[in-house]
Coordinates of all heavy atoms in Angstrom, one line a residue:
M488 N 0.9 -1.2 0.0 CA 0.0 0.0 0.0 C 0.9 1.2 0.0 O 1.8 1.3 0.8 CB -0.9 0.0 1.2 CG -1.8 1.2 1.3 SD -3.0 1.0 2.7 CE -4.4 1.8 2.1
P489 N 0.6 2.2 -0.9 CA 1.4 3.4 -0.9 C 1.3 4.2 0.3 O 0.3 4.2 1.0 CB 0.9 4.2 -2.1 CG -0.4 3.6 -2.5 CD -0.5 2.2 -1.8
S490 N 2.4 4.9 0.6 CA 2.4 5.8 1.8 C 1.5 7.0 1.7 O 1.3 7.5 0.6 CB 3.8 6.2 2.1 OG 3.9 7.2 3.1
D491 N 0.9 7.4 2.8 CA 0.1 8.6 2.8 C 0.9 9.8 3.0 O 0.4 10.9 2.9 CB -1.0 8.5 3.9 CG -2.2 7.7 3.4 OD1 -2.3 7.4 2.2 OD2 -3.1 7.4 4.3
K492 N 2.1 9.6 3.4 CA 3.0 10.7 3.7 C 3.5 11.4 2.5 O 3.9 10.8 1.5 CB 4.2 10.2 4.6 CG 5.0 11.3 5.1 CD 5.9 10.8 6.3 CE 6.9 11.8 6.8 NZ 6.3 13.0 7.3
I493 N 3.4 12.8 2.5 CA 3.9 13.6 1.4 C 5.4 14.0 1.7 O 5.6 14.5 2.8 CB 3.0 14.8 1.1 CG1 1.7 14.3 0.7 CG2 3.7 15.7 0.1 CD1 0.6 15.4 0.6
S494 N 6.3 13.7 0.9 CA 7.7 13.9 1.1 C 8.0 15.4 1.2 O 7.3 16.2 0.7 CB 8.6 13.3 0.1 OG 8.5 14.0 -1.1
A495 N 9.1 15.8 1.9 CA 9.5 17.2 2.0 C 9.8 17.7 0.6 O 9.5 18.9 0.3 CB 10.7 17.3 2.9
A496 N 10.4 16.9 -0.2 CA 10.7 17.4 -1.6 C 9.4 17.7 -2.4 O 9.3 18.7 -3.1 CB 11.5 16.3 -2.3
T497 N 8.4 16.8 -2.2 CA 7.1 17.1 -2.9 C 6.5 18.3 -2.4 O 5.9 19.2 -3.1 CB 6.2 15.9 -2.8 OG1 6.8 14.7 -3.4 CG2 4.8 16.1 -3.4
R498 N 6.5 18.5 -1.1 CA 5.9 19.7 -0.4 C 6.6 21.0 -1.0 O 5.9 21.9 -1.3 CB 6.1 19.6 1.1 CG 5.5 20.6 1.9 CD 5.7 20.3 3.4 NE 5.5 21.5 4.2 CZ 4.3 21.9 4.6 NH1 3.2 21.2 4.3 NH2 4.2 23.0 5.2
R499 N 7.9 20.9 -1.1 CA 8.7 22.1 -1.6 C 8.3 22.3 -3.0 O 8.1 23.5 -3.5 CB 10.2 21.9 -1.5 CG 10.8 22.3 -0.1 CD 12.3 22.3 -0.2 NE 12.9 21.1 -0.7 CZ 13.2 20.0 0.1 NH1 12.8 20.0 1.3 NH2 13.7 18.9 -0.4
Y500 N 8.2 21.3 -3.8 CA 7.8 21.4 -5.2 C 6.4 22.1 -5.4 O 6.3 23.0 -6.2 CB 7.8 20.0 -5.9 CG 7.3 20.1 -7.3 CD1 8.1 20.5 -8.4 CD2 5.9 19.9 -7.6 CE1 7.6 20.6 -9.7 CE2 5.4 20.0 -8.9 CZ 6.3 20.3 -9.9 OH 5.8 20.5 -11.2
V501 N 5.5 21.6 -4.6 CA 4.1 22.1 -4.7 C 4.1 23.6 -4.3 O 3.5 24.5 -4.9 CB 3.1 21.3 -3.8 CG1 1.8 21.9 -3.7 CG2 3.0 19.9 -4.4
A502 N 4.8 24.0 -3.2 CA 4.9 25.4 -2.8 C 5.5 26.2 -3.8 O 5.1 27.3 -4.1 CB 5.6 25.4 -1.4
T503 N 6.6 25.8 -4.4 CA 7.4 26.5 -5.4 C 6.5 26.7 -6.6 O 6.5 27.8 -7.2 CB 8.7 25.8 -5.7 OG1 9.5 25.7 -4.5 CG2 9.5 26.6 -6.7
R504 N 5.9 25.7 -7.1 CA 5.0 25.7 -8.2 C 4.0 26.8 -8.1 O 3.6 27.5 -9.0 CB 4.4 24.4 -8.5 CG 3.4 24.4 -9.7 CD 2.8 23.0 -9.9 NE 2.0 22.6 -8.8 CZ 1.5 21.4 -8.6 NH1 1.7 20.4 -9.5 NH2 0.8 21.1 -7.5
A505 N 3.5 27.0 -6.8 CA 2.4 27.9 -6.5 C 3.0 29.3 -6.2 O 2.3 30.2 -5.8 CB 1.6 27.4 -5.4
K506 N 4.3 29.4 -6.3 CA 5.0 30.7 -5.9 C 4.7 31.1 -4.5 O 4.6 32.3 -4.2 CB 4.7 31.8 -6.9 CG 5.1 31.5 -8.4 CD 4.8 32.6 -9.3 CE 5.3 32.3 -10.7 NZ 4.9 31.1 -11.4
N507 N 4.5 30.1 -3.7 CA 4.2 30.3 -2.2 C 2.9 31.1 -2.0 O 2.8 31.8 -1.0 CB 5.4 30.8 -1.5 CG 6.5 29.9 -1.5 OD1 6.4 28.8 -1.1 ND2 7.6 30.3 -2.1
Y508 N 2.0 31.0 -2.9 CA 0.6 31.6 -2.8 C -0.4 30.5 -2.6 O -0.2 29.5 -3.2 CB 0.2 32.4 -4.0 CG 0.9 33.8 -4.1 CD1 2.2 34.0 -4.3 CD2 0.1 34.9 -4.1 CE1 2.8 35.2 -4.4 CE2 0.6 36.2 -4.2 CZ 2.0 36.3 -4.4 OH 2.5 37.6 -4.5
C509 N -1.4 30.8 -1.8 CA -2.5 29.8 -1.7 C -3.1 29.7 -3.1 O -3.5 30.8 -3.7 CB -3.5 30.3 -0.7 SG -5.0 29.2 -0.6
E510 N -3.3 28.5 -3.6 CA -3.8 28.4 -4.9 C -5.3 28.6 -5.0 O -5.9 28.7 -6.1 CB -3.5 27.0 -5.5 CG -2.0 26.8 -5.7 CD -1.6 25.6 -6.5 OE1 -1.9 25.6 -7.7 OE2 -0.9 24.7 -5.9
Y511 N -6.0 28.7 -3.8 CA -7.4 29.0 -3.8 C -7.8 30.5 -3.6 O -8.5 31.0 -4.4 CB -8.1 28.1 -2.7 CG -8.0 26.6 -3.1 CD1 -7.0 25.8 -2.5 CD2 -8.8 26.1 -4.1 CE1 -6.9 24.5 -2.8 CE2 -8.6 24.7 -4.4 CZ -7.7 23.9 -3.8 OH -7.6 22.6 -4.1
C512 N -7.2 31.1 -2.6 CA -7.5 32.5 -2.3 C -6.5 33.5 -2.7 O -6.7 34.7 -2.6 CB -7.8 32.7 -0.8 SG -6.4 32.6 0.3
Q513 N -5.3 32.9 -3.2 CA -4.2 33.7 -3.8 C -3.5 34.5 -2.7 O -2.8 35.5 -3.0 CB -4.7 34.7 -4.9 CG -5.4 34.0 -6.0 CD -4.4 33.3 -7.0 OE1 -3.7 34.0 -7.7 NE2 -4.4 32.0 -7.0
C514 N -3.7 34.2 -1.4 CA -2.9 34.9 -0.4 C -1.5 34.4 -0.4 O -1.2 33.2 -0.5 CB -3.6 34.5 1.0 SG -2.7 35.2 2.4
P515 N -0.5 35.4 -0.3 CA 0.9 35.0 -0.3 C 1.2 34.5 1.1 O 0.9 35.1 2.1 CB 1.6 36.3 -0.6 CG 0.6 37.4 -0.3 CD -0.7 36.8 -0.4
E516 N 2.0 33.4 1.1 CA 2.3 32.7 2.4 C 3.2 33.7 3.3 O 3.0 33.7 4.5 CB 3.1 31.5 2.1 CG 3.4 30.7 3.4 CD 4.1 29.3 3.1 OE1 4.5 29.1 1.9 OE2 4.2 28.6 4.0
N517 N 4.0 34.5 2.7 CA 5.0 35.3 3.5 C 4.3 36.4 4.3 O 4.9 37.0 5.1 CB 6.1 35.8 2.6 CG 5.7 36.8 1.6 OD1 4.5 36.9 1.3 ND2 6.6 37.5 1.0
V518 N 3.0 36.7 4.0 CA 2.3 37.8 4.8 C 1.1 37.2 5.5 O 0.4 37.9 6.2 CB 1.9 39.0 3.9 CG1 3.0 39.6 3.2 CG2 0.8 38.5 2.8
S519 N 0.9 35.9 5.4 CA -0.2 35.3 6.0 C 0.1 34.9 7.5 O 1.2 34.6 7.8 CB -0.6 34.0 5.3 OG -1.6 33.3 5.9
T520 N -0.9 35.0 8.3 CA -0.8 34.6 9.7 C -1.1 33.1 9.8 O -1.0 32.5 10.9 CB -1.7 35.4 10.6 OG1 -3.0 35.2 10.2 CG2 -1.3 36.8 10.6
Q521 N -1.6 32.5 8.7 CA -2.0 31.1 8.7 C -0.8 30.2 8.3 O 0.0 30.6 7.5 CB -3.2 30.9 7.8 CG -4.4 31.7 8.0 CD -5.5 31.4 7.0 OE1 -6.0 30.3 7.0 NE2 -5.8 32.4 6.2
S522 N -0.9 29.0 8.7 CA 0.1 28.0 8.2 C -0.4 27.5 6.8 O -1.6 27.6 6.5 CB 0.3 26.8 9.1 OG -1.0 26.2 9.3
F523 N 0.5 27.1 6.0 CA 0.1 26.6 4.7 C 0.4 25.1 4.6 O 1.2 24.6 5.4 CB 0.9 27.3 3.6 CG 0.3 28.6 3.1 CD1 0.0 29.6 4.1 CD2 0.1 28.8 1.8 CE1 -0.5 30.8 3.7 CE2 -0.5 30.0 1.4 CZ -0.8 31.0 2.3
T524 N -0.3 24.4 3.7 CA -0.2 23.0 3.7 C -0.4 22.5 2.2 O -0.9 23.2 1.4 CB -1.2 22.3 4.6 OG1 -0.9 20.9 4.7 CG2 -2.6 22.5 4.1
V525 N -0.1 21.2 2.0 CA -0.4 20.6 0.8 C -1.8 20.0 0.9 O -2.1 19.3 1.8 CB 0.6 19.5 0.5 CG1 0.2 18.7 -0.8 CG2 2.0 20.0 0.3
E526 N -2.6 20.4 -0.1 CA -4.0 20.0 -0.1 C -4.3 19.1 -1.3 O -3.7 19.2 -2.4 CB -4.8 21.3 -0.3 CG -6.3 21.2 0.1 CD -7.2 20.8 -1.1 OE1 -6.8 21.1 -2.3 OE2 -8.2 20.2 -0.9
H527 N -5.1 18.0 -1.0 CA -5.5 17.1 -2.1 C -6.7 17.7 -2.8 O -7.7 17.9 -2.3 CB -5.9 15.8 -1.5 CG -4.7 15.0 -1.0 ND1 -4.2 15.2 0.3 CD2 -3.9 14.1 -1.6 CE1 -3.2 14.4 0.5 NE2 -2.9 13.7 -0.6
I528 N -6.5 18.0 -4.1 CA -7.6 18.6 -4.9 C -8.7 17.5 -5.0 O -9.9 17.9 -4.7 CB -7.1 18.9 -6.3 CG1 -6.0 20.0 -6.2 CG2 -8.2 19.5 -7.2 CD1 -5.2 20.2 -7.5
K529 N -8.4 16.3 -5.4 CA -9.4 15.2 -5.3 C -9.1 14.5 -4.0 O -7.9 14.0 -3.8 CB -9.2 14.2 -6.5 CG -10.2 13.1 -6.4 CD -10.0 12.2 -7.6 CE -10.9 11.0 -7.6 NZ -10.8 10.1 -8.7
P530 N -10.0 14.5 -3.1 CA -9.7 14.0 -1.7 C -9.2 12.5 -1.7 O -9.6 11.8 -2.6 CB -11.1 14.1 -1.0 CG -11.8 15.1 -1.8 CD -11.4 15.0 -3.2
R531 N -8.4 12.2 -0.7 CA -8.0 10.9 -0.6 C -9.1 9.9 -0.5 O -9.1 8.8 -1.0 CB -7.1 10.8 0.7 CG -5.8 11.6 0.6 CD -4.7 11.0 -0.2 NE -4.2 9.8 0.4 CZ -3.6 8.8 -0.3 NH1 -3.4 8.9 -1.6 NH2 -3.1 7.8 0.3
K532 N -10.2 10.3 0.2 CA -11.4 9.4 0.4 C -12.1 9.1 -0.9 O -12.8 8.1 -1.0 CB -12.4 10.0 1.4 CG -13.2 11.2 0.9 CD -14.3 11.5 1.8 CE -15.2 12.6 1.3 NZ -16.1 12.2 0.2
D533 N -11.8 9.9 -1.9 CA -12.4 9.7 -3.2 C -11.4 9.1 -4.2 O -11.6 9.1 -5.4 CB -13.0 11.0 -3.8 CG -14.2 11.5 -3.0 OD1 -14.8 10.7 -2.3 OD2 -14.4 12.7 -3.1
G534 N -10.3 8.6 -3.7 CA -9.3 8.0 -4.5 C -8.2 9.0 -5.0 O -7.4 8.6 -5.9
G535 N -8.2 10.2 -4.5 CA -7.2 11.2 -4.9 C -5.8 10.7 -4.4 O -5.6 10.2 -3.3
E536 N -4.8 10.8 -5.3 CA -3.5 10.3 -5.0 C -2.6 11.4 -4.5 O -2.8 12.6 -4.7 CB -2.9 9.7 -6.3 CG -3.7 8.5 -6.8 CD -3.1 7.9 -8.0 OE1 -2.0 7.3 -7.9 OE2 -3.7 8.1 -9.1
N537 N -1.4 10.9 -4.0 CA -0.4 11.8 -3.5 C 0.6 12.1 -4.7 O 1.8 11.9 -4.6 CB 0.4 11.2 -2.4 CG -0.2 11.3 -1.0 OD1 -1.1 12.1 -0.9 ND2 0.2 10.5 -0.1
I538 N 0.0 12.5 -5.8 CA 0.9 12.9 -6.9 C 0.7 14.4 -7.2 O -0.3 15.0 -6.8 CB 0.4 12.1 -8.2 CG1 -1.0 12.3 -8.5 CG2 0.7 10.6 -8.0 CD1 -1.5 11.7 -9.8
V539 N 1.8 15.0 -7.7 CA 1.8 16.5 -7.8 C 0.6 17.0 -8.6 O 0.2 18.1 -8.3 CB 3.2 17.0 -8.3 CG1 4.3 16.7 -7.3 CG2 3.5 16.5 -9.7
E540 N 0.1 16.3 -9.5 CA -1.0 16.7 -10.3 C -2.3 16.9 -9.5 O -3.3 17.5 -9.8 CB -1.3 15.8 -11.5 CG -0.2 15.8 -12.5 CD 1.0 14.9 -12.1 OE1 0.9 14.1 -11.1 OE2 2.0 14.9 -12.8
N541 N -2.3 16.2 -8.3 CA -3.5 16.2 -7.4 C -3.2 17.1 -6.2 O -4.1 17.0 -5.3 CB -3.9 14.8 -7.0 CG -5.2 14.8 -6.3 OD1 -6.2 15.5 -6.7 ND2 -5.3 14.1 -5.2
L542 N -2.1 17.8 -6.1 CA -1.8 18.5 -4.9 C -1.8 20.0 -5.2 O -1.4 20.4 -6.3 CB -0.4 18.0 -4.4 CG -0.3 16.6 -4.1 CD1 1.1 16.2 -3.7 CD2 -1.3 16.2 -2.9
A543 N -2.2 20.8 -4.2 CA -2.2 22.2 -4.3 C -1.7 22.8 -3.0 O -1.8 22.2 -2.0 CB -3.7 22.7 -4.6
W544 N -1.0 23.9 -3.1 CA -0.5 24.7 -2.0 C -1.7 25.5 -1.5 O -2.3 26.3 -2.2 CB 0.6 25.6 -2.4 CG 1.5 26.1 -1.3 CD1 1.8 27.4 -1.0 CD2 2.1 25.3 -0.3 NE1 2.6 27.4 0.1 CE2 2.8 26.2 0.6 CE3 2.2 23.9 0.0 CZ2 3.5 25.8 1.7 CZ3 2.9 23.5 1.1 CH2 3.6 24.4 1.9
S545 N -2.0 25.4 -0.2 CA -3.2 26.0 0.4 C -3.0 26.5 1.7 O -2.3 25.9 2.6 CB -4.3 24.9 0.4 OG -5.5 25.4 1.0
C546 N -3.6 27.7 2.0 CA -3.6 28.2 3.4 C -4.5 27.3 4.2 O -5.4 26.6 3.7 CB -4.0 29.7 3.4 SG -5.8 30.0 3.1
F547 N -4.3 27.5 5.5 CA -5.1 26.7 6.5 C -6.6 26.9 6.3 O -7.4 26.0 6.3 CB -4.7 27.0 7.9 CG -5.4 26.2 8.9 CD1 -5.1 24.8 9.2 CD2 -6.4 26.7 9.6 CE1 -5.8 24.1 10.1 CE2 -7.1 26.0 10.6 CZ -6.8 24.7 10.8
G548 N -7.0 28.2 6.1 CA -8.4 28.5 6.0 C -9.1 27.8 4.8 O -10.1 27.2 4.9
C549 N -8.4 27.9 3.6 CA -9.0 27.3 2.4 C -9.0 25.8 2.5 O -10.0 25.1 2.2 CB -8.2 27.7 1.2 SG -8.5 29.5 0.7
N550 N -7.9 25.3 3.1 CA -7.8 23.8 3.2 C -8.9 23.3 4.2 O -9.6 22.3 3.9 CB -6.5 23.4 3.8 CG -6.3 21.9 3.8 OD1 -6.6 21.2 2.8 ND2 -5.8 21.4 4.9
S551 N -9.2 24.0 5.2 CA -10.2 23.6 6.2 C -11.6 23.8 5.6 O -12.5 23.0 5.8 CB -10.1 24.5 7.5 OG -8.8 24.2 8.1
H552 N -11.8 24.9 4.9 CA -13.1 25.1 4.4 C -13.4 24.2 3.2 O -14.6 23.6 3.2 CB -13.2 26.6 3.8 CG -14.6 27.0 3.5 ND1 -15.5 27.2 4.5 CD2 -15.2 27.2 2.3 CE1 -16.7 27.6 3.9 NE2 -16.5 27.5 2.6
K553 N -12.5 23.9 2.4 CA -12.7 23.0 1.3 C -12.8 21.5 1.8 O -13.7 20.8 1.4 CB -11.6 23.0 0.2 CG -11.8 22.0 -0.9 CD -10.6 22.1 -1.9 CE -10.7 21.1 -3.0 NZ -10.4 19.7 -2.5
H554 N -12.0 21.2 2.7 CA -11.9 19.9 3.3 C -12.0 18.8 2.2 O -11.0 18.7 1.4 CB -13.1 19.8 4.3 CG -13.0 18.6 5.2 ND1 -11.9 18.2 5.9 CD2 -13.9 17.6 5.5 CE1 -12.1 17.1 6.6 NE2 -13.3 16.7 6.4
T555 N -13.0 18.0 2.2 CA -13.0 16.9 1.2 C -14.0 17.2 0.1 O -14.4 16.3 -0.7 CB -13.4 15.6 1.8 OG1 -14.6 15.7 2.5 CG2 -12.3 15.1 2.8
K556 N -14.5 18.5 0.0 CA -15.5 18.8 -1.0 C -14.8 19.1 -2.4 O -13.7 19.6 -2.5 CB -16.2 20.1 -0.6 CG -17.1 19.9 0.7 CD -17.9 21.2 0.9 CE -17.1 22.4 1.4 NZ -16.6 22.4 2.8
T557 N -15.5 18.7 -3.4 CA -15.1 19.1 -4.8 C -16.2 19.9 -5.5 O -16.0 20.4 -6.6 CB -14.7 17.8 -5.6 OG1 -15.9 17.0 -5.6 CG2 -13.5 17.1 -5.0
V558 N -17.4 19.9 -4.9 CA -18.5 20.6 -5.5 C -19.2 21.4 -4.3 O -19.0 21.1 -3.1 CB -19.6 19.7 -6.2 CG1 -19.0 19.0 -7.4 CG2 -20.1 18.7 -5.2
A559 N -20.0 22.4 -4.7 CA -20.8 23.1 -3.7 C -22.0 23.7 -4.4 O -22.1 23.7 -5.6 CB -20.0 24.3 -3.1
I560 N -22.9 24.2 -3.6 CA -24.2 24.8 -4.1 C -23.9 26.3 -4.3 O -23.5 27.0 -3.3 CB -25.4 24.5 -3.2 CG1 -25.6 23.0 -3.0 CG2 -26.6 25.2 -3.8 CD1 -26.0 22.3 -4.3
N561 N -24.1 26.8 -5.5 CA -24.1 28.2 -5.7 C -25.3 28.9 -5.1 O -26.4 28.5 -5.4 CB -24.1 28.5 -7.3 CG -24.0 30.0 -7.6 OD1 -24.5 30.8 -6.8 ND2 -23.5 30.3 -8.7
P562 N -25.1 29.7 -4.1 CA -26.2 30.3 -3.3 C -27.1 31.2 -4.2 O -28.3 31.4 -3.8 CB -25.6 31.1 -2.2 CG -24.2 31.3 -2.6 CD -23.8 30.2 -3.6
K563 N -26.6 31.7 -5.3 CA -27.5 32.5 -6.1 C -28.4 31.7 -7.1 O -29.5 32.1 -7.4 CB -26.6 33.5 -7.0 CG -26.0 34.6 -6.2 CD -25.2 35.6 -7.1 CE -24.7 36.7 -6.2 NZ -23.9 37.6 -7.0
T564 N -27.9 30.6 -7.5 CA -28.6 29.8 -8.5 C -29.2 28.5 -7.9 O -30.0 27.8 -8.5 CB -27.7 29.4 -9.6 OG1 -26.7 28.5 -9.2 CG2 -27.2 30.6 -10.3
N565 N -28.7 28.1 -6.7 CA -29.0 26.8 -6.1 C -28.6 25.6 -6.9 O -29.1 24.5 -6.7 CB -30.5 26.7 -5.7 CG -30.8 27.5 -4.4 OD1 -30.0 27.5 -3.5 ND2 -32.0 28.0 -4.4
L566 N -27.7 25.9 -7.8 CA -27.2 24.8 -8.7 C -25.8 24.3 -8.1 O -25.1 25.1 -7.6 CB -27.0 25.2 -10.1 CG -28.3 25.6 -10.8 CD1 -27.9 26.2 -12.2 CD2 -29.2 24.5 -11.0
Q567 N -25.6 23.0 -8.3 CA -24.3 22.5 -7.9 C -23.2 22.9 -8.9 O -23.4 22.8 -10.1 CB -24.4 20.9 -7.8 CG -23.1 20.3 -7.3 CD -23.3 18.8 -7.1 OE1 -23.9 18.4 -6.1 NE2 -22.8 18.0 -8.0
V568 N -22.1 23.4 -8.3 CA -21.0 23.8 -9.2 C -19.7 23.1 -8.7 O -19.6 22.8 -7.5 CB -20.8 25.3 -9.2 CG1 -22.0 26.0 -9.8 CG2 -20.6 25.8 -7.8
S569 N -18.8 23.0 -9.6 CA -17.5 22.4 -9.2 C -16.6 23.5 -8.5 O -16.7 24.6 -8.9 CB -16.7 22.0 -10.5 OG -17.4 20.9 -11.1
L570 N -15.9 23.1 -7.5 CA -15.0 24.0 -6.8 C -13.8 24.1 -7.7 O -13.5 23.3 -8.6 CB -14.6 23.4 -5.5 CG -15.7 23.3 -4.4 CD1 -15.1 22.7 -3.1 CD2 -16.4 24.6 -4.2
F571 N -13.0 25.2 -7.5 CA -11.9 25.5 -8.3 C -10.9 24.3 -8.3 O -10.6 23.8 -7.3 CB -11.2 26.8 -7.8 CG -9.9 27.1 -8.5 CD1 -10.0 27.4 -9.9 CD2 -8.7 27.2 -7.9 CE1 -8.8 27.7 -10.6 CE2 -7.6 27.5 -8.5 CZ -7.6 27.8 -9.9
H572 N -10.4 24.0 -9.5 CA -9.4 22.9 -9.6 C -8.1 23.6 -10.2 O -8.0 23.9 -11.3 CB -9.9 21.9 -10.6 CG -9.0 20.6 -10.6 ND1 -7.7 20.6 -10.9 CD2 -9.3 19.3 -10.4 CE1 -7.2 19.4 -10.9 NE2 -8.2 18.6 -10.5
P573 N -7.1 23.8 -9.3 CA -5.9 24.5 -9.7 C -5.1 23.9 -10.8 O -4.4 24.6 -11.5 CB -5.1 24.5 -8.4 CG -6.0 24.2 -7.3 CD -7.1 23.4 -7.9
R574 N -5.2 22.6 -11.1 CA -4.5 22.0 -12.2 C -5.2 22.1 -13.5 O -4.6 21.9 -14.6 CB -4.1 20.6 -11.9 CG -3.3 20.3 -10.6 CD -1.9 20.6 -10.7 NE -1.6 22.1 -10.6 CZ -1.6 22.8 -9.5 NH1 -1.9 22.3 -8.4 NH2 -1.3 24.1 -9.6
Q575 N -6.6 22.2 -13.4 CA -7.4 22.2 -14.7 C -8.0 23.5 -15.0 O -8.5 23.6 -16.2 CB -8.4 21.1 -14.5 CG -7.9 19.7 -14.3 CD -8.9 18.7 -14.1 OE1 -10.1 19.0 -13.9 NE2 -8.5 17.4 -14.0
Q576 N -8.1 24.4 -14.1 CA -8.8 25.7 -14.4 C -7.9 26.9 -14.2 O -7.0 26.9 -13.4 CB -10.0 25.8 -13.5 CG -11.0 24.7 -13.8 CD -12.2 24.7 -12.8 OE1 -12.0 24.7 -11.6 NE2 -13.4 24.8 -13.3
N577 N -8.3 28.0 -14.9 CA -7.6 29.3 -14.7 C -8.4 30.0 -13.5 O -9.6 30.1 -13.6 CB -7.7 30.0 -16.0 CG -7.2 31.4 -15.8 OD1 -7.8 32.3 -15.3 ND2 -5.9 31.6 -16.3
W578 N -7.6 30.5 -12.6 CA -8.2 31.1 -11.4 C -9.1 32.3 -11.8 O -10.3 32.4 -11.3 CB -7.1 31.6 -10.5 CG -7.6 32.0 -9.1 CD1 -7.6 31.2 -8.0 CD2 -8.1 33.3 -8.7 NE1 -8.1 31.9 -6.9 CE2 -8.4 33.2 -7.3 CE3 -8.2 34.5 -9.3 CZ2 -8.9 34.2 -6.6 CZ3 -8.7 35.5 -8.5 CH2 -9.0 35.4 -7.2
T579 N -8.7 33.2 -12.6 CA -9.5 34.4 -13.0 C -10.7 34.0 -13.7 O -11.8 34.5 -13.4 CB -8.6 35.3 -13.9 OG1 -7.4 35.6 -13.2 CG2 -9.4 36.6 -14.2
D580 N -10.6 33.0 -14.6 CA -11.8 32.5 -15.4 C -12.8 31.9 -14.4 O -14.0 32.1 -14.5 CB -11.4 31.5 -16.4 CG -10.6 32.1 -17.6 OD1 -10.6 33.4 -17.7 OD2 -10.0 31.4 -18.3
H581 N -12.3 31.1 -13.5 CA -13.2 30.4 -12.6 C -14.0 31.3 -11.7 O -15.2 31.2 -11.5 CB -12.5 29.3 -11.8 CG -13.3 28.6 -10.8 ND1 -14.1 27.5 -11.2 CD2 -13.6 28.8 -9.5 CE1 -14.8 27.1 -10.1 NE2 -14.5 27.8 -9.1
F582 N -13.3 32.3 -11.1 CA -13.9 33.2 -10.1 C -14.6 34.4 -10.7 O -15.2 35.2 -10.0 CB -12.9 33.5 -9.0 CG -12.5 32.4 -8.1 CD1 -11.3 31.7 -8.3 CD2 -13.4 31.9 -7.2 CE1 -11.0 30.6 -7.5 CE2 -13.1 30.8 -6.4 CZ -11.9 30.2 -6.6
Y583 N -14.5 34.5 -12.0 CA -15.2 35.7 -12.7 C -16.6 35.5 -12.5 O -17.5 35.7 -12.4 CB -14.8 35.7 -14.2 CG -15.6 36.8 -14.9 CD1 -15.2 38.1 -14.8 CD2 -16.7 36.5 -15.7 CE1 -15.9 39.1 -15.5 CE2 -17.4 37.4 -16.4 CZ -17.0 38.8 -16.3 OH -17.6 39.7 -16.9
Ligands
ZN1516 ZN1 -6.3 30.3 0.9

């Protein structure tokens, strides 16, 4: 069974790829009061792997709020929408 532990090298890669910004709220880590972590875009419980394509650099707040969700209800339309996917979507386009 593969390890659940994310290596220090992978953690550094994910942070560097994100330029040390939270990939969800765009907050820079160096001015944040929150800790940052590697977040699984597709949750482990849904089969998400510990591969860099499934990992995002995230502040504690975004990681906690997203948790294992990949969809949410849009409060204006009451329709289910996909949450932002940092590897597949453009941030500006998604949040427009
Ligand atoms: Zn964030």
Side-chain angles (χ1 to χ4, degrees):
M488 179 175 212
S490 170
D491 278 351
K492 188 162 175 60
I493 295 170
S494 72
T497 298
R498 185 177 163 82
R499 273 194 306 278
Y500 173 83
V501 171
T503 301
R504 177 180 63 191
K506 299 178 174 61
N507 297 301
Y508 280 65
C509 174
E510 296 192 65
Y511 294 102
C512 70
Q513 303 282 291
C514 178
E516 184 177 11
N517 67 344
V518 299
S519 177
T520 58
Q521 304 180 62
S522 59
F523 276 53
T524 190
V525 173
E526 195 269 333
H527 290 86
I528 300 166
K529 180 179 179 180
R531 298 282 292 155
K532 74 172 186 67
D533 294 336
E536 298 180 69
N537 277 346
I538 56 174
V539 294
E540 294 81 7
N541 189 45
L542 301 174
W544 196 234
S545 176
C546 72
F547 181 78
C549 287
N550 187 45
S551 297
H552 192 72
K553 178 180 174 287
H554 192 50
T555 59
K556 296 185 286 289
T557 57
V558 295
I560 300 297
N561 179 332
K563 289 186 176 176
T564 63
N565 280 329
L566 297 174
Q567 182 173 286
V568 293
S569 295
L570 297 181
F571 176 61
H572 191 301
R574 303 282 77 77
Q575 296 176 353
Q576 295 175 304
N577 175 282
W578 193 91
T579 303
D580 292 342
H581 179 83
F582 289 103
Y583 175 75

